[in-house]
Amino acid sequence: MEDQGKRLMLAVGIAFGIMLLWTTLFPPEKPPKKIPEKEVAEQVEGKQTAASARSRGDAQRGSASSGSATTGEVPVEATPVKTLPRGEEQIFEFESGTVRARFSSYGGALTSYELMVPRLRNHKTNTPENLVRVDDEAYRNLRVWFEDSTFNIPRDAEWLGEKRSDTEMRFTWESSDFRVVKDITLHPKQYLIVMDVSFELVNASEAKQALAISLYSQQDPKAGEAGMFDRVERLWKSACFVDGEVKKKSTKSLAKKGEKKRSGEIYWGGFDHAYFLVASSFKDVEGRRTDCNAYPLEDVVGGMGIDMVQDSVNLKGGEPGIRSRVAIYIGPKYRGALGAASKTADVETKFEESVDLGFLGILSGPLLSLLNFFQGFVVNWGIAIFLLTLVVKGLTLPWTHKSMKSMKAMSRLKPQLEKIKEKYKDDRARQNTETMNLFKAHKVNPMSGCLPMLLQMPIWFALYRSLTVAGELYQAPFIAGWIDDLTLPDPYYVMPVLLTGMMFLQTRLTPSTGSGAQQKMLMYGMPIMFGVFSFFFPAGLTLYIFTNTCFTALHHLYMHKQEPAAVAAHAEKSAIIEAASEEKDAASEDKTKSGKSGAGKSQCKSKSKKKSGQGKKKRKR
């Protein structure tokens, strides 16, 4: 059993290596090779995607088609017309304790959406995080338009705005033939916007209209992806939830390959970040399909657009118009808020699917729920992790206690194991048999020493994953001025040093079951390995492992106090087992001697019978 410690270290090293190399070994999307900006521009210009055609030509097409009624056929090519003069821009602002949103009469669109919660502020600029990331009138969020339709809306159209309450507003745009109304309701505590879009004919006799909603974002293409020791990619990517899977495209990929159209069972489309989501979802209408199209913005560095386009519908003059509902989530990936969006908006959004908890989601989900529960009354996320560790330790206590008892028993068997090794040093098979017999006699499981580590490792993986994707933990502080974000490594490396020291102490308290070389490997190799890893772990995970190590050390101290009684019981049991073994050996030896004696007697009888037979033959002669 000398190799047990080596195997344990190897298993732990491999497991954590897999965790740290997850992005490298199984990347969700292979990032494209970096190409010069000039080459990117040439490629995009050469391909001239449909997205760029929209960005340049929608205003002309919309203006031309909105002037008068047509026969109802989709116009193939429209003649550009001059845009009508606009009045002064009107800004409508809504502010609460969680968000501050601004809408403009130019385009009837969202121009700013700032997160007012102090923990969500942009710490680099010390300002509220603005999730409207493109500051360009041509690319304003929640733009309503119509794709390949009889009537369209000029991109720079002026809408009539009316603020109806602290959370409600209406925008109206109307031409001589076509009217569009947007009723917007904000749910700031849930980071949700519900928009009802109604469109109808005014004087026209018929029309074919395909409603579309646009969102825009930007990500610096020079920003790097996650490295080997950094699982978190804090980058914005275009995303469509289609056929039960989140399909993502980076700004580099879109710039290189152009527009990406997706069809199928689509619930939402928008922009995904490790801790934030900006996405829109149409209310499902039977028989009407939705497409999700992602494309680059030519004149915005790192710019991306997402269009959610519904199937076209036919309108008839004098008949009621069409009303479509859209749910828009703009905020941190709080699982509670994401899950509640569907009920609040009366739209099956599935926004919660943007939080990817990985293959250990069955553990990550309950862990996050427990953390949220604890944080609800202790306020501090670091203390919540401490309480989580205590709960997990309590749930696994029966197995870890049994494992520690087994390790203690193995430690007490060390002299007898050495005797067996010496006695059968030339017979490895007999040595293993006698060793296992000894373990069986004392009811010791030689593999139980690995159990505490094996029980905790899935928890570490699950917590590690949670720290990299859950918005609740984004920039969650522990102690101000020291650890301001539990999702990042400790900036001052205090926790890694404390963890390394505590692991050295724990190895001192752990019963010795191996040889000198093996024990040195466990005493120095394991703490050093974990210490190195913890320099790259999120501080929250390091805090969990440190707290768990402290509890384990206390458990060892408790076991040491019980040691005298256990040693006495072991000595008594060993004496009984040795006595029984000696009796067994003596009986075996007597049986062997008896067998030899019996064989000798039988040989004598055989010889005497032969002699007697020979004498009888002589007398007969």
Side-chain angles (χ1 to χ4, degrees):
M1 304 308 293
E2 288 186 9
D3 296 332
Q4 179 188 353
K6 296 178 183 178
R7 289 197 296 270
L8 175 59
M9 279 196 62
L10 181 61
V12 173
I14 291 174
F16 275 91
I18 292 173
M19 181 169 66
L20 293 173
L21 294 172
W22 184 270
T23 304
T24 305
L25 298 177
F26 304 104
E29 176 187 353
K30 187 176 180 180
K33 294 181 180 179
K34 186 174 180 180
I35 56 177
E37 293 183 9
K38 183 177 179 181
E39 187 178 340
V40 171
E42 290 174 354
Q43 290 178 1
V44 174
E45 184 177 357
K47 293 183 178 181
Q48 191 61 43
T49 65
S52 64
R54 277 196 298 273
S55 68
R56 293 181 175 180
D58 278 346
Q60 289 83 356
R61 293 200 304 273
S63 298
S65 60
S66 63
S68 60
T70 69
T71 61
E73 296 179 356
V74 177
V76 177
E77 187 173 351
T79 304
V81 296
K82 293 182 179 179
T83 304
L84 295 175
R86 298 184 298 182
E88 184 178 352
E89 182 179 21
Q90 291 182 294
I91 299 296
F92 303 88
E93 184 174 300
F94 298 83
E95 184 170 356
S96 68
T98 52
V99 301
R100 180 167 59 202
R102 294 187 180 94
F103 294 86
S104 170
S105 59
Y106 288 180
L110 183 67
T111 61
S112 175
Y113 193 92
E114 297 173 304
L115 305 179
M116 305 305 292
V117 179
R119 185 165 65 83
L120 299 176
R121 292 172 68 89
N122 188 318
H123 286 183
K124 291 182 179 180
T125 60
N126 195 30
T127 58
E129 187 74 55
N130 189 359
L131 296 187
V132 174
R133 298 174 55 80
V134 179
D135 186 18
D136 190 321
E137 186 184 333
Y139 307 112
R140 284 186 168 173
N141 283 268
L142 303 189
R143 173 181 171 241
V144 170
W145 57 288
F146 296 87
E147 183 176 71
D148 296 331
S149 299
T150 305
F151 300 109
N152 209 339
I153 306 171
R155 181 178 286 273
D156 57 354
E158 182 178 7
W159 292 64
L160 177 62
E162 177 188 359
K163 188 173 181 179
R164 296 190 156 191
S165 71
D166 290 339
T167 58
E168 296 177 319
M169 120 144 271
R170 168 174 286 184
F171 281 110
T172 304
W173 178 87
E174 184 176 353
S175 70
S176 58
D177 301 291
F178 192 54
R179 180 189 296 120
V180 183
V181 178
K182 297 197 296 186
D183 287 308
I184 298 172
T185 303
L186 284 80
H187 300 270
K189 290 184 178 180
Q190 294 177 285
Y191 302 98
L192 183 68
I193 297 175
V194 179
M195 184 168 67
D196 289 306
V197 182
S198 304
F199 51 97
E200 60 183 352
L201 298 179
V202 179
N203 294 316
S205 60
E206 61 180 11
K208 184 179 181 181
Q209 302 293 135
L211 178 63
I213 306 293
S214 294
L215 293 172
Y216 303 99
S217 190
Q218 185 271 344
Q219 174 61 57
D220 182 4
K222 294 182 181 179
E225 288 81 8
M228 183 173 68
F229 293 107
D230 181 15
R231 178 65 182 89
V232 185
E233 266 193 356
R234 304 193 179 206
L235 305 178
W236 287 94
K237 293 183 178 182
S238 65
C240 297
F241 185 65
V242 53
D243 296 332
E245 186 178 355
V246 179
K247 304 284 189 179
K248 300 179 185 180
K249 282 287 183 182
S250 67
T251 184
K252 290 182 179 181
S253 179
L254 288 176
K256 182 178 180 180
K257 299 179 181 179
E259 182 177 22
K260 180 64 177 179
K261 293 187 175 183
R262 299 189 188 277
S263 299
E265 188 181 22
I266 292 175
Y267 281 93
W268 56 262
F271 301 99
D272 182 85
H273 182 275
Y275 301 105
F276 299 100
L277 180 70
V278 177
S280 63
S281 175
F282 272 113
K283 185 171 183 177
D284 181 53
V285 179
E286 188 175 353
R288 196 185 305 176
R289 190 188 67 177
T290 300
D291 290 339
C292 181
N293 305 327
Y295 51 90
L297 306 181
E298 283 189 348
D299 45 358
V300 177
V301 177
M304 301 172 283
I306 283 280
D307 293 341
M308 294 288 286
V309 185
Q310 283 193 318
D311 274 346
S312 60
V313 294
N314 293 315
L315 300 179
K316 298 290 184 180
E319 295 182 358
I322 300 296
R323 186 180 182 90
S324 292
R325 171 161 288 193
V326 189
I328 304 101
Y329 188 91
I330 309 179
K333 287 183 177 179
Y334 292 166
R335 291 196 310 151
L338 292 166
S342 296
K343 184 177 180 180
T344 302
D346 190 25
V347 177
E348 187 62 34
T349 64
K350 294 193 181 292
F351 287 144
E352 63 275 11
E353 296 294 337
S354 62
V355 182
D356 181 13
L357 294 176
F359 69 98
L360 282 175
I362 192 172
L363 286 177
S364 301
L367 284 178
L368 274 175
S369 297
L370 268 176
L371 278 175
N372 279 313
F373 173 74
F374 291 140
Q375 198 274 338
F377 64 85
V378 299
V379 180
N380 187 285
W381 284 98
I383 298 176
I385 290 177
F386 174 86
L387 294 175
L388 175 69
T389 314
L390 184 61
V391 169
V392 173
K393 195 69 175 175
L395 292 174
T396 58
L397 185 61
W399 295 279
T400 54
H401 185 71
K402 186 176 180 180
S403 172
M404 285 187 179
K405 287 181 67 177
S406 184
M407 290 175 67
K408 286 283 187 182
M410 281 191 64
S411 178
R412 291 189 288 270
L413 290 174
K414 191 175 179 180
Q416 292 163 269
L417 291 172
E418 294 297 332
K419 288 181 181 179
I420 291 174
K421 289 179 184 178
E422 181 64 28
K423 186 175 181 180
Y424 302 106
K425 59 183 178 180
D426 297 326
D427 189 348
R428 190 63 180 266
R430 181 66 183 277
Q431 183 184 128
N432 290 335
T433 301
E434 294 298 325
T435 299
M436 295 309 297
N437 289 337
L438 182 64
F439 288 153
K440 187 176 181 180
H442 286 270
K443 297 181 180 179
V444 171
N445 183 0
M447 298 305 296
S448 61
C450 304
L451 187 61
M453 185 76 70
L454 294 177
L455 285 174
Q456 287 294 330
M457 285 185 66
I459 307 296
W460 295 345
F461 275 89
L463 183 60
Y464 181 75
R465 183 69 176 180
S466 300
L467 287 163
T468 62
V469 298
E472 292 90 341
L473 294 166
Y474 175 68
Q475 295 186 163
F478 176 34
I479 298 176
W482 173 24
I483 298 177
D484 295 318
D485 188 352
L486 287 166
T487 65
L488 294 176
D490 182 349
Y492 302 106
Y493 308 116
V494 176
M495 287 300 301
V497 172
L498 290 176
L499 175 61
T500 305
M502 182 53 66
M503 292 200 79
F504 271 115
L505 176 61
Q506 182 189 326
T507 56
R508 292 276 184 181
L509 296 172
T510 302
S512 173
T513 59
S515 62
Q518 179 193 23
Q519 192 63 22
K520 285 183 179 180
M521 182 183 296
L522 289 174
M523 286 183 62
Y524 298 106
M526 189 76 74
I528 290 173
M529 180 179 67
F530 271 87
V532 171
F533 284 151
S534 64
F535 276 86
F536 307 99
F537 283 158
L541 179 59
T542 306
L543 176 61
Y544 177 92
I545 299 176
F546 171 74
T547 307
N548 180 71
T549 305
C550 290
F551 286 148
T552 303
L554 291 174
H555 196 170
H556 277 302
L557 289 175
Y558 169 79
M559 297 294 290
H560 283 323
K561 287 186 177 181
Q562 310 299 316
E563 187 67 5
V567 169
H570 174 78
E572 183 178 351
K573 187 173 183 179
S574 295
I576 294 172
I577 292 174
E578 286 182 7
S581 178
E582 288 176 0
E583 289 181 5
K584 185 178 179 181
D585 291 343
S588 177
E589 187 176 350
D590 290 342
K591 187 176 181 180
T592 302
K593 290 180 179 179
S594 174
K596 289 181 179 179
S597 175
K601 290 180 179 180
S602 63
Q603 288 177 1
C604 291
K605 287 181 180 181
S606 176
K607 289 179 179 179
S608 63
K609 285 181 179 180
K610 287 181 179 179
K611 289 180 179 180
S612 175
Q614 290 174 357
K616 288 180 179 181
K617 288 180 180 180
K618 288 179 179 179
R619 284 195 293 271
K620 286 181 180 180
R621 289 176 183 175

